[in-house]
């Protein structure tokens, strides 16, 4: 357990993807079976323990420490697992402490009765060091939160044998912890495990953003267009296990199994298929905005009330397997699309429909359609997709087949208010920027800035250096990693500050923000070194955007 | 002569300049210039320049001279450890505090009451200074920098092992170790040497003066070298010591893919380490941990505890559960390790200036 604990402790501090991979690879290489397999299961979210809850951990701790000291400590540390790990004083002799293998802990947790758990847990905690205690508590309460996705952990395993992550992905859903056959295969000691999962995930195909310069080189007759719906990309797969039982799963685009959060969809997919589509919330035949869809996202389970109020829907884009066995990924898109249409005609379901094609003659036509899509669902349209009629379904982001052509973003001119230092390679840079717009100061004729968002991308490396320099040189207080950028005044009393042109995808009311609005995907589209700070936008400009009739893209300042 | 036992608050009280002893007419670690100062140790938030007379250990006086120049005070006097001196109506003595080189607790007796102002202290072993000595007293003034039971520090050798393991795992990355320039940096070097690492250890220019100061006084620190600006790109796989503030400075950018490490008691909690952007936290502290604080309070036999700078609430609560009279002093102007550079920046002198030079 201590080895696994040391790994996830280090991972939690490592911001860089390659650094994380190096740490995981070294661990998998040096750790024997079955220990490493259970570690992989923990990091891919494949372990679930029903009986271990935070209340039980608090109860254990209450027996061992003054409640006032516990409360002050918890308040300071902010994380229950970490607080308990730090406060726990092992009982018994150090020499008698045995490092229980992760494998044994997983087995015991899976089979143990609820009544036996506190005693066992206390003994394990006594035997571990504090990093081990933290890791164990994180493990059993669910959610390691160490910044490692299942995909990244699988990539590290693939790297052991010089394989692509997709190769591991292909066989993954047929495998069970502790993955002895997987490690044997990647290390060249065994055959490729059979992918006998009736509902496997297949890595998805992604599109490139369409650059303006590319449009001229493309022949419109070779492409079809469809709307880019503003939901989450999913893969719905259903098939029969060898015992005849139906298995249906819903995967996110990274292969996370999200079925438990969408029982309404899983129930409806009762025919063999592998459909690539967009998950949306549909009410009264109308696609709701992403803000509304968010009510259903990132949940482990879902209440009947949510199911009723936010009914989930799949708008189908593509088909990956037709009628169970047949992999159709090598067929041209047009043919797959026909098969998809036929499949949905054979199995009509209210919660699944086909994403309509958008007829167009020239890219100019399409651009006009894209700028102002008509119809009831136009708010849920992010832009359009261009797909080559003959494109196969290629996992990853292959060049030249699919393009996404997003609607022009909304634009607003803001004033820089705070800089915050970034992480990893950016840790010596102020790279997260909070910006605001003007509003009337309560009870005075003056204007003040109110923060409306924070952005950490959209600029080039050179621009980052300039922004960092600006924040460093600016007057203003420091609050830990945050530096205030105080406004100056010109001789005639005009404010001096830096105007940032902010592009964003949407706006919603928010009670959590001082300004009352929250932006979606804000980024810095231009730095307006030239523009006086008092010519930046006022809050009214944003409030107007909240009205649904005014969702047209704002004109950028010339 | 007839005298009533004095109340502790008649002996020491809080003033805007710091703790003031009226019967002796002196201040302890004052934060502003005063006619007469008694100073516990050389950290910049306790030892400031510009006082009239300064009484401190020989080592602390030397540190102050190295930092501020020979004329840092009007007049100086060296205190011999454990030797009673009379100042006004008080008897004063200095005793090792185990915090940094030269650090001392100051015992003040007046009217039959003894108060010990311990300054900063620790109970963990440290090759760069004398160990803490318990001084029995009526009132013990304790720091509470790490006054929460979550702060229990382990063996520093384990922390150094983490650093050396990271060097092995990432031989192509420079390992920048943030450490306070006085005391912590020398202790970290000494611990790294104890672990058998004998390569050159590089250091930020701001550290050179105090590092040389320790070497001149006989500390064996092995090969050390100041980092030259042009060389920074070549230091993959090396250890480079720097003031904590330099980890976030433009200076750190030129190293190959740097790993940011930080030697501090604050690194005990993950949120604090992440907030500072630290990838490799090293829990090495110059302050007493929770166990050390509780142990020391008990051992002094004091019936009354004054708790200053840090997490006072939990320690005051603990004292009360032990049947001791305890109160927080709410002193301002004292930093804690790791945050000290920020304190110094606001005061406009000290190491921040050195770091920029």
């Amino acid at each position: 357990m201590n080895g696994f604990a040391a790994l996830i402790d280090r991972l939690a501090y490592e911001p860089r993807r390659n650094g994380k991979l190096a740490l995981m690879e070294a661990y998998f290489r040096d750790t024997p079976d079955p220990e490493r397999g259970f570690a992989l299961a923990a990091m891919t979210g494949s372990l679930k323990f029903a009986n271990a809850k935070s209340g039980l951990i608090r109860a254990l701790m209450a027996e061992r420490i003054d409640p006032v000291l516990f409360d002050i400590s918890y308040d300071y540390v902010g994380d229950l697992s970490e607080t308990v790990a730090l406060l726990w004083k092992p009982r018994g002799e150090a020499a008698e402490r045995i490092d229980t293998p992760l494998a044994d802990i997983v087995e015991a947790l899976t089979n143990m009765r609820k009544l036996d758990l506190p005693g066992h847990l206390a003994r394990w905690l006594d035997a571990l060091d504090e990093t081990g205690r933290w890791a164990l508590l994180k493990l059993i309460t669910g959610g390691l939160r160490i910044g490692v996705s299942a995909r990244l952990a699988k990539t590290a395993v693939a790297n052991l044998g010089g394989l692509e992550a997709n190769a591991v992905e292909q066989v993954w859903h047929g495998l069970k912890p502790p993955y002895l056959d997987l490690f044997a295969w990647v290390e060249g000691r065994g055959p490729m495990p059979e992918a006998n999962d009736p509902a496997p995930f297949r890595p998805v195909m992604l599109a490139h953003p369409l650059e303006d310069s590319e449009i001229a080189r493309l022949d419109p007759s070779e492409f079809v267009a469809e709307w880019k719906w503003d939901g989450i990309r999913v893969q719905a797969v259903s098939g029969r296990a060898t015992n005849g039982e139906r298995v249906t799963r819903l995967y996110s685009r990274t292969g996370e199994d999200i079925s438990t959060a969408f029982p309404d969809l899983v129930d409806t997919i009762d025919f063999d298929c592998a459909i690539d589509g967009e998950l949306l919330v549909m009410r009264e035949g109308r696609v709701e905005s992403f803000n509304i869809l968010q009510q259903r996202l990132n949940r482990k389970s879902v209440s009947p009330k949510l199911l009723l109020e936010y009914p989930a829907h799949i708008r189908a884009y593509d088909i990956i397997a037709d009628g169970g066995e047949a992999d159709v990924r090598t067929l041209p898109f047009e043919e797959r699309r026909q098969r998809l249409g036929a499949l949905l005609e054979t199995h009509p379901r209210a919660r699944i429909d086909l994403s309509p094609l958008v007829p167009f003659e020239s890219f100019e036509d399409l651009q006009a359609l894209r700028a102002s899509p008509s119809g009831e669902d136009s708010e849920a349209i992010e832009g359009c997709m261009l797909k080559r009629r003959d494109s196969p379904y290629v996992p990853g982001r292959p060049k030249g087949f699919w393009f996404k052509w997003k609607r022009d973003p909304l634009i607003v001119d803001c004033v820089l208010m705070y800089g915050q230092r970034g992480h990893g390679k950016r840790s010596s840079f102020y790279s997260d920027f909070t910006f605001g717009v003007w509003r009337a100061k309560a009870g005075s004729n003056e204007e003040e800035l109110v923060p409306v968002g924070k952005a950490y991308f959209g600029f080039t490396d050179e621009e980052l250096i300039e922004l960092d320099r600006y924040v460093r040189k600016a007057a203003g207080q420091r609050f830990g990693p945050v530096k205030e950028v105080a406004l100056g005044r010109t001789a005639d009393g005009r404010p001096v500050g830096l105007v940032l042109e902010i592009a964003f995808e949407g706006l919603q009311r928010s009670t959590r923000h001082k300004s009352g609005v929250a932006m979606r995907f804000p980024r810095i589209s231009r730095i307006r070194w030239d523009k006086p700070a008092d010519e930046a936008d006022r809050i009214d400009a944003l409030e107007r955007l909240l009205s649904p009739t005014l969702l047209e893209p704002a004109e950028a300042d010339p | 002569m007839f005298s009533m036992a004095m109340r502790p608050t008649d002996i020491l009280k809080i003033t805007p300049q710091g703790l003031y002893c009226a019967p002796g007419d002196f201040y302890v670690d004052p934060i502003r210039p005063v006619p007469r100062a008694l100073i516990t140790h050389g950290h910049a938030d306790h030892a400031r320049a510009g006082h009239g007379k300064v009484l401190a250990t020989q080592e602390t006086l030397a540190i102050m001279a190295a930092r501020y120049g020979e004329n840092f005070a009007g007049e100086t006097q060296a205190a011999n450890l454990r030797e009673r001196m009379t100042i006004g109506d008080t008897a004063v003595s200095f005793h090792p505090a185990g915090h940094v080189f030269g650090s001392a607790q100051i015992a003040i007796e007046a009217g039959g009451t003894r108060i010990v102002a311990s300054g900063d202290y620790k109970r963990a072993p440290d090759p760069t200074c004398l160990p803490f000595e318990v001084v029995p007293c009526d009132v013990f003034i304790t720091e509470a920098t790490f006054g929460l039971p979550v702060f229990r520090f382990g063996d520093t050798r384990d922390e150094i092992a983490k650093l050396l393991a990271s060097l092995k795992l990432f031989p192509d990355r420079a390992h920048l170790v943030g450490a306070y320039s006085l005391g912590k940096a020398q202790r970290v070097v000494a611990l790294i040497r104890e672990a058998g690492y004998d390569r050159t250890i590089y250091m930020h220019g701001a550290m050179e003066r105090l590092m040389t100061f320790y070497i001149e006084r006989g500390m064996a620190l092995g090969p050390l070298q100041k980092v030259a600006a042009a060389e920074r790109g070549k230091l993959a796989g090396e250890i480079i010591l720097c003031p904590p503030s330099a980890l976030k400075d433009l200076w750190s950018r030129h190293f190959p893919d740097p790993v940011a490490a930080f030697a501090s008691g604050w690194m005990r909690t993950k949120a604090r380490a992440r907030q500072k952007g630290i990838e490799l936290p090293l829990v090495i502290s110059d302050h007493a941990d929770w166990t050390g604080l509780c142990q020391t309070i008990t051992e002094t036999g004091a019936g009354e505890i004054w708790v200053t700078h840090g997490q006072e609430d939990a320690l005051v609560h603990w004292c009360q559960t032990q049947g001791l009279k305890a109160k927080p002093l709410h002193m301002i102007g004292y930093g804690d390790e790791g945050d000290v550079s920020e304190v110094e920046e606001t005061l406009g002198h000290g190491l921040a200036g050195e770091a920029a030079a």
Side-chain angles (χ1 to χ4, degrees):
Chain A
M1 181 71 199
N2 281 332
F4 171 68
L7 170 70
I8 66 165
D9 181 51
R10 189 71 210 270
L11 284 171
Y13 289 114
E14 174 57 64
R16 306 165 325 137
R17 185 178 181 275
N18 285 340
K20 289 181 202 281
L21 279 175
L23 289 164
M24 285 190 283
E25 274 177 62
Y27 174 83
F28 289 136
R29 190 168 293 119
D30 301 340
T31 309
D33 289 322
E35 191 75 357
R36 59 179 174 175
F38 286 108
L40 178 61
M43 290 190 289
T44 51
S46 312
L47 299 175
K48 298 272 186 295
F49 310 113
N51 292 329
K53 293 284 177 286
S54 59
L56 185 152
I57 295 165
R58 275 168 173 274
L60 266 184
M61 200 67 231
E63 295 168 9
R64 294 172 176 243
I65 189 175
D66 178 329
V68 175
L69 292 180
F70 177 80
D71 286 345
I72 300 177
S73 298
Y74 185 21
D75 191 48
Y76 176 84
V77 177
D79 176 283
L80 181 67
S81 298
E82 189 178 351
T83 309
V84 172
L86 294 176
L87 288 175
W88 193 270
K89 270 193 201 156
R91 292 174 181 168
E93 290 301 309
E96 289 168 14
R97 292 180 201 143
I98 298 155
D99 180 11
T100 314
L102 180 60
D104 294 1
I105 290 176
V106 170
E107 201 205 325
L109 281 171
T110 314
N111 302 323
M112 196 179 291
R113 290 182 308 156
K114 197 172 180 181
L115 268 175
D116 299 333
L117 187 55
H120 267 88
L121 185 53
R123 275 197 294 282
W124 289 329
L125 291 172
D126 280 343
L128 290 163
D129 65 14
E130 66 205 28
T131 306
R133 292 194 289 268
W134 169 75
L136 175 62
L137 292 168
K138 281 278 167 202
L139 180 73
I140 67 173
T141 53
L144 294 176
R145 292 179 202 285
I146 48 169
V148 170
S149 64
R151 174 79 178 177
L152 198 64
K154 291 172 203 168
T155 307
V157 174
N159 286 355
L160 287 182
L163 298 173
E164 291 292 319
N166 282 344
V168 172
E169 207 75 80
Q170 298 274 13
V171 300
W172 179 257
H173 284 282
L175 305 175
K176 295 264 174 300
Y179 309 111
L180 301 180
D181 43 356
L182 173 68
F183 282 106
W185 170 51
V186 297
E187 290 175 343
R189 295 181 284 106
M192 182 168 166
E194 269 189 50
N196 56 1
D197 185 355
F201 171 72
R202 298 169 180 90
V204 301
M205 175 161 176
L206 300 168
H208 282 273
L210 183 64
E211 305 294 337
D212 290 344
S213 58
E214 278 173 310
I215 299 174
R217 284 188 272 126
L218 301 180
D219 176 355
S221 68
E222 287 179 353
F223 286 85
V224 294
E226 62 185 315
W227 296 124
K228 186 176 188 326
W229 297 100
D230 193 6
I232 60 163
R233 185 88 178 274
V234 290
Q235 194 175 108
V237 194
S238 189
R240 280 193 193 280
T242 40
N243 63 4
E245 203 176 305
R246 174 154 301 283
V247 178
T248 302
R249 290 202 196 98
L250 199 64
Y251 297 103
S252 74
R253 66 175 232 188
T254 53
E256 313 275 340
D257 185 344
I258 54 171
S259 311
T260 52
F262 297 95
D264 42 350
L265 286 173
V266 170
D267 286 349
T268 204
I269 304 166
D270 53 359
F271 53 94
D272 288 359
C273 66
I275 294 172
D276 179 347
E278 196 83 8
L279 192 151
L280 303 162
V281 164
M282 284 268 265
R283 288 194 285 210
E284 291 160 14
R286 188 167 173 269
V287 180
E288 297 289 357
S289 71
F290 189 83
N291 295 330
I292 289 175
L293 169 63
Q294 271 182 318
Q295 300 293 329
R296 288 287 305 265
L297 301 183
N298 302 320
R299 290 177 186 276
K300 284 209 175 103
S301 61
V302 60
S303 66
K305 187 163 171 269
L306 272 177
L307 286 175
L308 203 64
E309 286 181 14
Y310 302 97
H313 186 92
I314 290 179
R315 188 146 278 183
Y317 292 136
D318 212 327
I319 189 167
I320 299 166
D322 190 3
E325 292 299 305
D327 190 333
V328 296
R329 285 179 288 183
T330 51
L331 299 178
F333 175 73
E334 279 199 310
E335 201 178 325
R336 291 202 308 276
R337 173 105 193 159
Q338 272 173 15
R339 283 173 175 252
L340 177 63
L343 179 77
L344 295 180
E345 250 173 57
T346 320
H347 305 279
R349 298 289 181 272
R351 287 180 184 276
I352 310 175
D353 67 359
L354 189 60
S355 176
L357 294 182
V358 182
F360 71 103
E361 296 286 323
S362 67
F363 288 128
E364 286 75 27
D365 289 354
L366 190 59
Q367 186 159 23
L369 287 169
R370 179 184 65 109
S372 51
S374 56
E376 284 203 307
D377 294 341
S378 60
E379 261 186 63
I381 289 172
E382 261 193 304
C384 60
M385 298 291 302
L386 281 167
K387 294 179 177 175
R388 271 186 74 104
R389 292 173 187 277
D390 60 356
S391 68
Y393 195 97
V394 185
R397 211 185 286 274
K399 284 215 163 74
F401 292 124
W402 289 5
F403 297 95
K404 53 184 174 193
W405 201 11
K406 286 202 179 182
R407 294 174 76 173
D408 292 330
L410 301 159
I411 299 275
V412 67
D413 281 335
C414 299
V415 181
L416 176 61
M417 296 180 71
Y418 300 93
Q420 184 172 348
R421 286 189 297 249
H423 295 282
K425 281 203 159 158
R426 282 175 158 194
S427 63
S428 69
F429 288 90
Y430 285 100
S431 62
D432 295 12
F433 305 100
T434 300
F435 40 82
V437 293
W438 296 105
R439 73 168 176 196
K441 199 170 183 172
S444 103
N445 295 331
E446 284 175 42
E447 292 273 285
E448 64 173 0
L449 287 174
V450 58
V452 291
K454 192 171 168 188
Y456 50 89
F457 65 102
F459 37 79
T460 64
D461 288 352
E462 289 71 34
E463 284 171 332
L464 174 59
I465 291 169
E466 289 172 2
L467 285 168
D468 173 73
R469 191 177 300 143
Y470 186 88
V471 172
R472 281 176 191 277
K473 280 189 181 165
Q477 299 188 55
R478 281 172 40 180
F479 313 94
V482 176
K483 165 86 189 280
E484 176 194 15
V485 179
L487 290 182
R489 292 277 165 189
T490 61
D492 56 350
R494 294 183 67 184
V496 176
L498 179 60
V499 176
L500 302 174
E501 183 185 285
I502 303 296
F504 57 102
E505 299 299 318
L507 204 63
Q508 70 177 120
R509 288 206 184 277
S510 162
T511 48
R512 283 190 305 141
H513 296 74
K514 212 171 167 184
S515 60
V517 295
M519 290 175 170
R520 181 146 183 255
F521 292 147
R523 66 263 185 193
I524 295 171
S525 59
R526 271 201 292 174
I527 306 170
R528 297 295 304 267
W529 300 104
D530 56 311
K531 192 164 187 171
D534 53 353
E535 289 178 23
D537 281 302
R538 300 192 77 256
I539 188 77
D540 328 25
L542 287 172
E543 278 164 0
R544 274 199 300 275
L545 293 173
L546 285 169
S547 155
T549 53
L550 283 164
L551 264 170
E552 298 306 310
E555 283 296 312
D557 218 329
Chain B
M1 198 176 84
F2 175 77
S3 89
M4 271 173 47
M6 289 177 90
R7 287 178 305 175
T9 46
D10 294 333
I11 302 173
L12 274 178
K13 56 171 73 85
I14 298 172
T15 70
Q17 287 81 16
L19 268 182
Y20 177 63
C21 175
D25 192 22
F26 62 80
Y27 292 82
V28 178
D29 291 352
I31 57 170
R32 294 186 199 148
V34 297
R36 180 158 207 173
L38 272 58
I39 290 179
T40 58
H41 66 283
H43 277 148
D45 48 337
H46 292 257
R48 295 166 198 272
H51 302 306
K53 291 181 183 171
V54 168
L55 174 62
T57 62
Q58 186 66 55
E59 295 82 358
T60 298
L61 292 175
I63 289 166
M64 292 175 79
R67 287 200 144 163
Y68 305 126
E70 291 297 335
N71 299 319
F72 65 90
E75 196 182 301
T76 63
Q77 184 190 345
N80 295 322
L81 289 172
R82 307 171 201 93
E83 187 180 298
R84 277 166 74 93
M85 290 165 283
T86 303
I87 304 179
D89 295 332
T90 66
V92 167
S93 55
F94 284 60
H95 306 266
H99 176 55
V100 290
F101 185 64
S103 67
Q105 313 169 70
I106 300 173
I108 303 160
E109 274 182 68
T113 297
R114 183 193 273 176
I115 302 181
V116 170
S118 56
D120 291 334
Y121 66 94
K122 73 166 172 289
R123 305 302 298 268
D126 179 345
T128 68
C129 65
L130 293 174
F132 181 93
E133 288 175 15
V134 174
V135 184
C137 55
D138 303 297
V139 179
F140 184 63
I141 307 178
T142 181
E143 60 147 320
T145 308
F146 295 112
L148 279 176
V150 291
F151 292 110
R152 283 185 286 125
F153 304 142
D155 192 328
T156 49
R157 285 174 294 196
D158 296 340
E159 303 303 304
I160 297 301
K162 278 199 317 201
L163 172 64
L164 299 180
S166 177
L167 271 179
K168 212 168 136 192
L169 185 62
F170 298 113
D172 50 350
R173 303 180 70 185
H175 283 60
L176 302 186
V177 181
Y180 190 46
S181 302
L182 171 60
K184 185 67 67 65
Q186 295 77 20
R187 185 171 169 214
V188 168
V189 173
L191 289 168
I192 293 172
R193 297 305 183 205
E194 273 180 24
Y197 182 90
D198 52 9
R199 295 174 61 84
T200 297
I201 295 175
Y202 294 83
M203 59 181 169
H204 187 281
M207 298 202 137
E208 193 180 26
R209 194 164 7 147
L210 283 168
M211 208 64 93
T212 309
F213 177 89
Y214 272 69
I215 293 166
E216 284 169 0
R217 279 155 187 80
M219 276 296 302
L221 298 176
L224 292 169
Q225 194 178 318
K226 190 165 96 175
V227 175
E231 255 186 279
R232 285 179 287 190
K234 297 176 199 155
L235 296 181
E238 303 291 350
I239 297 174
I240 301 106
L241 284 181
C242 63
S245 59
L247 288 174
K248 295 292 154 207
D249 215 14
L250 304 170
W251 175 82
S252 71
R253 265 182 220 168
H254 301 276
F255 292 94
D257 202 3
V259 175
F262 186 16
S264 163
W266 294 116
M267 295 298 103
R268 173 93 173 148
T269 63
K270 292 176 199 300
R272 189 79 176 230
R274 286 210 201 105
Q275 183 203 345
K276 290 192 170 289
I278 300 303
E279 291 162 63
L280 185 61
L282 305 173
V283 185
I284 301 175
S285 177
D286 288 340
H287 295 267
D289 66 357
W290 175 258
T291 315
L293 293 169
C294 296
Q295 176 198 350
T296 306
I297 288 169
T298 307
E299 287 176 359
T300 60
E304 185 169 344
I305 309 299
W306 295 355
V307 184
T308 173
H309 63 287
Q311 310 278 342
E312 296 100 329
D313 297 352
L315 199 58
V316 167
H317 173 82
W318 180 84
C319 290
Q320 287 163 351
T321 62
Q322 306 299 305
L324 301 171
K325 210 171 146 190
K327 64 173 183 185
L329 281 192
H330 299 306
M331 307 256 293
I332 51 156
Y334 297 96
D336 42 42
E337 59 178 59
D339 285 349
V340 80
S341 57
E342 265 121 9
V343 173
E344 289 181 349
E345 273 174 25
T346 51
L347 292 164
H349 62 72
L351 271 193
E354 294 175 21

